[in-house]
C-alpha cells in the first residue's frame, strides 16, 4: 500500500475491560461445533454445489461427527428449499444431528423457512439482521438504532408465533447481530437482550446467541474482549449458548476463535479448510486438530483427512493450499537439511522408545502431531531438493528403499544427491534418489570390476581363507590371488599382491535390504586412502559375501573418481 493511502484508515478502538479474565484461561474442553459449509461455504463458491453434491457433503459432515449442520438458506432459492426437504423427507438426518437454517428477519422469508423445516425432528432457526453503524448508514439508509433493534425483536416474535405450526419439530432459536465485529457493544447487547426477552430461554431450553466476526476489523485480543464483555452482560447467561462465527479477513480466524473460547464462548461455527466469503471462514479442522494436539478430544474425526480433503475439493471445486495447516500437501514435508536430520532422529528414537511405552507422549522435532493420526504417511514427510541435507536423503533411502546407511556415510551421499537436485533445479522423487544412490555409490564397476571370484575356506592356514579373482582394471583383464582372515581381507591381500593397495579398510556394516522384491543384502565398506581421504562404498547382492566384496570395490573406485 502506498504511504499516501494510509491516511484513509483508522485504528479500531479497544474495549475498555481492564479486569479482563480471558488471558488467564486455557482451553480444556471442546465447544459445540456447527458446520456452515453447506450455507456460508456454499454461497462463497463461484459454482455453488448441486443438490446431489450437497447431499454427499452432508453425509461426510455427519461421518466426521458434526451434531449441528447449517444446511442452507431455504427461503432464498428453490435449490436450497428442495435440499432441505430431501433431507427431511428421505430421512437422511441422523437422530443425533440437528439441522440449522439461516433466514433474514423478514416475515415472508421466515414463513417460507418454516415450510422448509416442517417434519424435522429438531431444527435451529437462525435469524439475523445487520447492526453496525456502517450497515445502518449504508444498507439501511441511516436507520436508527431503535429501528434496527425492532427488526430483531419482531423477527423473534414471528419465529415464536410459528413454532406451534410445526408441532413435530423442536425449534431452537439462534440470533445473530450481523457485523457484531464493528457494532457498538452496548447496542449489540440491546439487540440480543431484546430477542432474549421475547424467546424466554431456560437452562433446559437454551437459545443460541451468535456473535459473528463478520468482517475482521481488529486483532484477536480485541475480539476476545468483546466476547467476554458480552458474556458478562447478556441476560439469562445460564440459558444461552454463546456462539462464535469468525471470518478471516486479517488472517487471524483461528486465533480469534481460540481467544473467543477462552473469553467464555460455548459454540463455534466454521467450515472445513476455511472456505467462505472473501478470505474465508474459520477453519474448523485447524481449531479441532489444534485441540487434539494438546490432548483435548473434540468429537470430530479427522483421522482420514486426505479422503475428506478429496471430497471437499470435488464438491466445492476449491483447492486446499499446499501450506494449509494439517491438510496441505507439504505441511509434513521438510526440505531443510537440518530439519530432515532432526525429524529422522526423532522418528527413529520414538520407534525404539514406544516399544517399551506405547502411551509415550508425542515428541518429534518439527512435527506438532503424528501425521499417521490424520491419515498421512511418513513417506511424504521428507522430500529432497537442493536445500536438503544428508539426514533427509538417508531417511528416504531407509524408509522408502530399505537401505540403512551408516551415519558417517550420510555426508558423502547427501552432498552428491542434493548437488544433483540443484543441477536439475527441482525436487527429486524417492525413486530418483534411489537410482542416483545406486549409480553413484553401489556396485560401481569402473575402473575396477570383478569378473570372477572364488573363495576357498579350507586352507592349510588355520582360520584363513583364500580367494582367486579375475578382475578387469582400465579395460585390462588379470587374475589376482590372496589369503586373509575373511572374504574381504583376502581380496584386500590379493589387491596388495597386485600392487593395487593404497588404502586400508576402516569400517564394515551389512544388513538385509528391507521391502525389496529380491532377498538382497547391502554391505557398506569404508576405505581410507593413503593420502587421508575417507569414502564409503556400498555393495548389493543376494550373497552377503559378494555384497561386501562389491562394497570394497566400489570404495576403491570412488577414491579414483
Amino acid at each position: 500500500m502506498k504511504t499516501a493511502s494510509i491516511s484513509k484508515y483508522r485504528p479500531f478502538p479497544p474495549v475498555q475491560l481492564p479486569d479482563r479474565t480471558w488471558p488467564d484461561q486455557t482451553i480444556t474442553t471442546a465447544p459445540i461445533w456447527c458446520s456452515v459449509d453447506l450455507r456460508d461455504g456454499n454461497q462463497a463458491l463461484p459454482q455453488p454445489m448441486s443438490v446431489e453434491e450437497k447431499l454427499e457433503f452432508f453425509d461426510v459432515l455427519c461421518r466426521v461427527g458434526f451434531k449441528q449442520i447449517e444446511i442452507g438458506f431455504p427461503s432464498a432459492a428453490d435449490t436450497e428449499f428442495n435440499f432441505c426437504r430431501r433431507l427431511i423427507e428421505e430421512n437422511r438426518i441422523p437422530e443425533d444431528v440437528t439441522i440449522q437454517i439461516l433466514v433474514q428477519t423478514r416475515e415472508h422469508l421466515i414463513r417460507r423457512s418454516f415450510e422448509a423445516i416442517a417434519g424435522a425432528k429438531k431444527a435451529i432457526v437462525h435469524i439475523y439482521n445487520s447492526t453496525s453503524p456502517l450497515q445502518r448508514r449504508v444498507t439501511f439508509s441511516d436507520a436508527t438504532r431503535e429501528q434496527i433493534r425492532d427488526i430483531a425483536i419482531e423477527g423473534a416474535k414471528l419465529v415464536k408465533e410459528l413454532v406451534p405450526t410445526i408441532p413435530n419439530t423442536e425449534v431452537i432459536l439462534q440470533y445473530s447481530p450481523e457485523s457484531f465485529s464493528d457494532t457498538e457493544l452496548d447496542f449489540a447487547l440491546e439487540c440480543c437482550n431484546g430477542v432474549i426477552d421475547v424467546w424466554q430461554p431456560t437452562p433446559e431450553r437454551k437459545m443460541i446467541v451468535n456473535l459473528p466476526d463478520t468482517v475482521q476489523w481488529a486483532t484477536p485480543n480485541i475480539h476476545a474482549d468483546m466476547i467476554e464483555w458480552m458474556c458478562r452482560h447478556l441476560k439469562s447467561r445460564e440459558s444461552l449458548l454463546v456462539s462464535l462465527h469468525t471470518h478471516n479477513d486479517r488472517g487471524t480466524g483461528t486465533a480469534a476463535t481460540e481467544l473467543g473460547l477462552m473469553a467464555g464462548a460455548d459454540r463455534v461455527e466454521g467450515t472445513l479448510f476455511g472456505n467462505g466469503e472473501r478470505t474465508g471462514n474459520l477453519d474448523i479442522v485447524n481449531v479441532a486438530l489444534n485441540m487434539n494436539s494438546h490432548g483435548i478430544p473434540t468429537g470430530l474425526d479427522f483421522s482420514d483427512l486426505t479422503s475428506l480433503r478429496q471430497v471437499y475439493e470435488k464438491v466445492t471445486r476449491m483447492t486446499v493450499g499446499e501450506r494449509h495447516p494439517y491438510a496441505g500437501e507439504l505441511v509434513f514435508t521438510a526440505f531443510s537439511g537440518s530439519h530432515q536430520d532432526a525429524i529422522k532422529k526423532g522418528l527413529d528414537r520414538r520407534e525404539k522408545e514406544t516399544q517399551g511405552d506405547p502411551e509415550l507422549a508425542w515428541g518429534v522435532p518439527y512435527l506438532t502431531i503424528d501425521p499417521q493420526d490424520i491419515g498421512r504417511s511418513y513417506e511424504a514427510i521428507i522430500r529432497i531438493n537442493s536445500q536438503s541435507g544428508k539426514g533427509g536423503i538417508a531417511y528416504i533411502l531407509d524408509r522408502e528403499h530399505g537401505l540403512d546407511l551408516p551415519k558417517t556415510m550420510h555426508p558423502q551421499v547427501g552432498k552428491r544427491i542434493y548437488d544433483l537436485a540443484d543441477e536439475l533445479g527441482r525436487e527429486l522423487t524417492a525413486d530418483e534418489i534411489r537410482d542416483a544412490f545406486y549409480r553413484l555409490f553401489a556396485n560401481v564397476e569402473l575402473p575396477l570390476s570383478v569378473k570372477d571370484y572364488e573363495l576357498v575356506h579350507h586352507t592349510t592356514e588355520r582360520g584363513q581363507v583364500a580367494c582367486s579373482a579375475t578382475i578387469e582394471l582400465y579395460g585390462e583383464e588379470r587374475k589376482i590371488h590372496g589369503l586373509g582372515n575373511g572374504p574381504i581381507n583376502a581380496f584386500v591381500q590379493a589387491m596388495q599382491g597386485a600392487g593395487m593397495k593404497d588404502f586400508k579398510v576402516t569400517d564394515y556394516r551389512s544388513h538385509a535390504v528391507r521391502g525389496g522384491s529380491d532377498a538382497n543384502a547391502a554391505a557398506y565398506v569404508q576405505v581410507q586412502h593413503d593420502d587421508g581421504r575417507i569414502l564409503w562404498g556400498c555393495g548389493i547382492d543376494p550373497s552377503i559375501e559378494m555384497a561386501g566384496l562389491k562394497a570394497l570395490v566400489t570404495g576403491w573406485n570412488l577414491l579414483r573418481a
Side-chain angles (χ1 to χ4, degrees):
M1 185 182 292
K2 294 181 179 179
T3 302
S5 301
I6 295 174
S7 62
K8 72 175 72 168
Y9 302 103
R10 299 290 184 273
F12 195 86
V15 177
Q16 298 304 313
L17 194 69
D19 59 341
R20 61 182 58 85
T21 63
W22 65 260
D24 295 323
Q25 306 304 311
T26 57
I27 298 173
T28 57
T29 58
I32 298 168
W33 305 104
C34 178
S35 161
V36 294
D37 290 89
L38 300 176
R39 195 277 304 170
D40 205 339
N42 187 54
Q43 74 182 36
L45 298 176
Q47 181 181 337
M49 289 179 269
S50 67
V51 170
E52 294 302 323
E53 287 171 333
K54 290 187 76 171
L55 289 170
E56 180 180 2
F57 206 175
F58 178 82
D59 291 342
V60 167
L61 293 170
C62 291
R63 288 199 299 271
V64 165
F66 285 99
K67 303 306 179 187
Q68 296 183 2
I69 301 173
E70 188 168 81
I71 60 169
F73 204 140
S75 61
D78 287 343
T79 299
E80 299 287 283
F81 186 92
N82 294 337
F83 172 63
C84 182
R85 293 312 306 162
R86 281 193 64 179
L87 287 177
I88 296 168
E89 292 169 5
E90 296 177 9
N91 296 315
R92 290 175 173 267
I93 305 168
E95 282 290 311
D96 59 348
V97 171
T98 301
I99 59 170
Q100 175 173 305
I101 58 147
L102 183 72
V103 58
Q104 291 172 315
T105 48
R106 298 171 64 184
E107 181 177 354
H108 70 288
L109 298 179
I110 293 174
R111 291 185 182 278
R112 179 66 167 164
S113 297
F114 267 74
E115 294 175 21
I117 63 172
K121 179 180 177 182
K122 186 184 292 188
I124 299 169
V125 175
H126 180 186
I127 63 173
Y128 74 96
N129 65 309
S130 292
T131 56
S132 71
L134 185 61
Q135 292 275 13
R136 299 196 304 264
R137 180 168 60 87
V138 175
T139 307
F140 293 100
S141 303
D142 297 308
T144 65
R145 286 173 47 145
E146 291 74 16
Q147 289 172 319
I148 296 298
R149 180 203 60 206
D150 288 346
I151 291 174
I153 291 172
E154 292 305 313
K157 287 179 178 178
L158 179 57
V159 171
K160 191 168 186 177
E161 175 187 319
L162 291 174
V163 168
T165 67
I166 50 172
N168 297 323
T169 301
E170 179 185 345
V171 174
I172 300 164
L173 179 66
Q174 174 170 323
Y175 172 67
S176 288
E178 194 208 4
S179 59
F180 165 78
S181 47
D182 59 323
T183 297
E184 310 96 318
L185 282 175
D186 66 320
F187 182 54
L189 180 69
E190 184 179 339
C191 292
C192 291
N193 280 342
V195 174
I196 292 168
D197 285 340
V198 170
W199 194 252
Q200 293 294 304
T202 66
E204 296 73 35
R205 182 173 166 269
K206 292 187 178 183
M207 171 186 155
I208 302 169
V209 172
N210 192 52
L211 303 175
D213 202 5
T214 309
V215 179
Q216 283 195 318
W217 297 100
T219 51
N221 61 303
I222 291 179
H223 177 257
D225 282 347
M226 295 174 73
I227 300 302
E228 180 168 341
W229 191 94
M230 289 292 289
C231 285
R232 290 188 191 184
H233 292 87
L234 283 166
K235 289 183 177 180
S236 307
R237 178 65 181 91
E238 71 286 352
S239 300
L240 305 176
L241 293 173
V242 173
S243 177
L244 305 175
H245 181 113
T246 54
H247 281 254
N248 201 39
D249 300 87
R250 296 172 58 91
T252 57
T254 294
T257 298
E258 291 177 334
L259 298 190
L261 289 172
M262 292 162 59
D266 311 294
R267 181 178 183 269
V268 166
E269 294 187 345
T271 61
L272 301 186
F273 312 118
N275 179 38
E277 299 281 8
R278 305 180 309 279
T279 56
N281 284 3
L282 167 77
D283 178 3
I284 283 185
V285 178
N286 194 350
V287 174
L289 288 175
N290 283 354
M291 291 182 185
N292 286 164
S293 73
H294 285 189
I296 301 170
T298 62
L300 301 179
D301 182 0
F302 295 121
S303 60
D304 190 1
L305 197 56
T306 300
S307 296
L308 185 62
R309 172 183 162 183
Q310 289 170 348
V311 173
Y312 164 83
E313 291 186 334
K314 182 182 75 169
V315 301
T316 67
R317 288 163 284 275
M318 303 288 284
T319 57
V320 175
E322 291 183 335
R323 298 295 182 186
H324 195 100
Y326 298 109
E329 186 67 29
L330 297 178
V331 296
F332 296 114
T333 300
F335 289 109
S336 163
S338 61
H339 290 199
Q340 292 170 345
D341 186 57
I343 291 172
K344 180 181 185 300
K345 289 175 180 175
L347 291 173
D348 289 345
R349 179 162 183 164
R350 180 170 179 80
E351 186 175 348
K352 294 176 183 177
E353 291 178 343
T354 52
Q355 291 176 2
D357 182 6
E359 300 300 318
L360 183 70
W362 175 254
V364 172
Y366 302 108
L367 298 179
T368 58
I369 66 169
D370 184 344
Q372 290 185 330
D373 290 338
I374 57 173
R376 304 291 292 270
S377 63
Y378 288 147
E379 284 76 5
I381 290 177
I382 295 182
R383 290 160 59 171
I384 306 302
N385 63 14
S386 61
Q387 303 301 307
S388 304
K390 58 185 191 300
I393 292 165
Y395 178 94
I396 292 290
L397 291 170
D398 182 11
R399 299 279 173 160
E400 296 276 359
H401 304 300
L403 296 169
D404 186 10
L405 275 58
K407 184 170 179 57
T408 51
M409 191 180 185
H410 294 184
Q412 175 186 340
V413 175
K415 184 178 188 312
R416 291 295 302 275
I417 292 183
Y418 70 69
D419 280 352
L420 174 62
D422 193 27
E423 178 184 335
L424 295 174
R426 62 173 174 82
E427 178 187 341
L428 300 180
T429 68
D431 286 350
E432 286 177 320
I433 293 166
R434 175 203 58 205
D435 293 346
F437 176 79
Y438 276 42
R439 183 175 68 253
L440 298 171
F441 300 102
N443 298 355
V444 176
E445 296 186 327
L446 289 174
L448 171 65
S449 63
V450 178
K451 299 302 181 183
D452 187 44
Y453 180 83
E454 183 179 359
L455 192 65
V456 180
H457 287 275
H458 304 290
T459 70
T460 55
E461 299 290 335
R462 187 173 182 181
Q464 297 279 289
V465 294
C467 80
S468 178
T470 300
I471 64 170
E472 185 177 298
L473 180 62
Y474 295 108
E476 180 182 337
E477 193 170 286
R478 58 193 293 191
K479 291 185 180 295
I480 61 175
H481 306 275
L483 183 68
N485 59 14
I488 293 178
N489 183 252
F491 190 79
V492 169
Q493 297 306 317
M495 294 177 75
Q496 183 172 16
M500 299 167 58
K501 184 177 180 298
D502 55 1
F503 66 92
K504 60 183 178 181
V505 175
T506 53
D507 203 348
Y508 170 81
R509 314 279 177 84
S510 66
H511 66 82
V513 178
R514 301 186 312 278
S517 57
D518 301 319
N520 279 336
Y524 310 89
V525 171
Q526 187 185 70
V527 292
Q528 182 175 6
H529 195 270
D530 291 346
D531 64 10
R533 286 179 297 136
I534 299 175
L535 291 174
W536 282 91
C538 175
I540 298 175
D541 194 89
S543 163
I544 189 65
E545 290 181 347
M546 285 305 299
L549 180 65
K550 290 179 178 180
L552 173 63
V553 171
T554 295
W556 193 89
N557 284 330
L558 292 179
L559 286 172
R560 283 145 185 82

